[in-house]
Amino acid sequence: MNTILKNTISITVITLVAGLALGVVQDITAGPIAAQAEKSKEEAYKTVFEDAASFSEYSLDDKGQAEDLVGYLNDNGFSAQTIDEIMVAEDASGETLGYAFTITDSEGYGGDIQFAMGVQNDGTLNGISILSISETAGLGMKATTDDFKNQFKDKNVEKFTYTKTGASSDDEIDAISGATITTNAMTNGVNAGLCAFRYVEGGAES
């Protein structure tokens, strides 16, 4: 057996073993990773809807509305935003308090930004909780601070805009200095969530 053939067989065996090992590791870690992601999401929902005793899934597929919601968002200018999940927030007696949304916005400077937001039945935004973000340290990552997030808290507006000269009304937020792209992504993401809320509440038919 010549050297080339031996080397080829050795490389093939090593590749197969490494591939199998990687597959085993992925199988072992997939469960815990998924469980942690679910736990983080549940904690985020509780953060944005503190008054809720429980959450139940609002299934668009069961109602045949999944494609309609995507179309509604697109019609309103939210083609870069995805509604990943909608949960019904309920009190201890099972009454609906509002909805919690998981949203992914693809407009971030460092890639996708995923966050949760809670909206009461009357359209009041309780607040937002970021689940995943990879923006620039010291700039876009300031979107994770309470100073930025609290600008959306307890506001009842149709949509938000951002300003660099100081917010002067409930529907304005102060842009993050040096991170306009991140600010724009967060603002559009929240507005997409408010748009989805109007759809769930029947706004698509009005």
Side-chain angles (χ1 to χ4, degrees):
M1 187 179 296
N2 61 44
T3 303
I4 295 177
L5 183 56
K6 286 181 180 179
N7 290 340
T8 301
I9 293 174
S10 297
I11 292 172
T12 302
V13 171
I14 290 171
T15 301
L16 288 172
V17 171
L20 288 171
L22 181 60
V24 170
V25 170
Q26 287 179 330
D27 287 342
I28 293 173
T29 58
I33 290 173
Q36 182 58 46
E38 190 63 27
K39 181 180 179 182
S40 296
K41 197 159 52 175
E42 290 173 0
E43 291 174 350
Y45 287 151
K46 190 61 181 174
T47 297
V48 300
F49 234 117
E50 294 180 356
D51 293 339
S54 62
F55 297 91
S56 60
E57 184 178 1
Y58 181 93
S59 178
L60 291 167
D61 290 332
D62 290 348
K63 299 174 176 61
Q65 296 175 316
E67 292 185 5
D68 288 343
L69 175 56
V70 172
Y72 186 60
L73 290 171
N74 287 339
D75 290 344
N76 283 274
F78 301 113
S79 59
Q81 293 75 32
T82 303
I83 308 300
D84 302 318
E85 187 174 63
I86 303 174
M87 302 295 286
V88 182
E90 301 166 335
D91 64 15
S93 62
E95 292 295 317
T96 298
L97 299 174
Y99 303 88
F101 301 85
T102 300
I103 299 157
T104 298
D105 191 298
S106 64
E107 298 174 317
Y109 185 81
D112 290 349
I113 299 174
Q114 187 182 54
F115 64 93
M117 60 183 278
V119 186
Q120 299 176 32
N121 287 331
D122 67 354
T124 300
L125 174 58
N126 289 334
I128 64 174
S129 179
I130 294 177
L131 292 164
S132 176
I133 186 170
S134 301
E135 301 298 90
T136 305
L139 294 172
M141 286 303 289
K142 289 182 179 179
T144 64
T145 64
D146 288 341
D147 283 345
F148 178 77
K149 292 186 296 182
N150 286 345
Q151 295 186 92
F152 298 99
K153 191 173 183 179
D154 300 327
K155 301 290 181 65
N156 191 327
V157 301
E158 183 174 346
K159 68 176 183 178
F160 289 92
T161 58
Y162 63 88
T163 177
K164 298 180 180 180
T165 57
S168 58
S169 60
D170 278 355
D171 61 355
E172 286 187 336
I173 65 164
D174 291 321
I176 301 169
S177 179
T180 302
I181 293 176
T182 306
T183 303
N184 183 67
M186 290 302 305
T187 304
N188 286 342
V190 170
N191 286 338
L194 293 176
C195 185
F197 168 75
R198 291 192 294 273
Y199 177 87
V200 171
E201 286 291 279
E205 299 170 359
S206 62

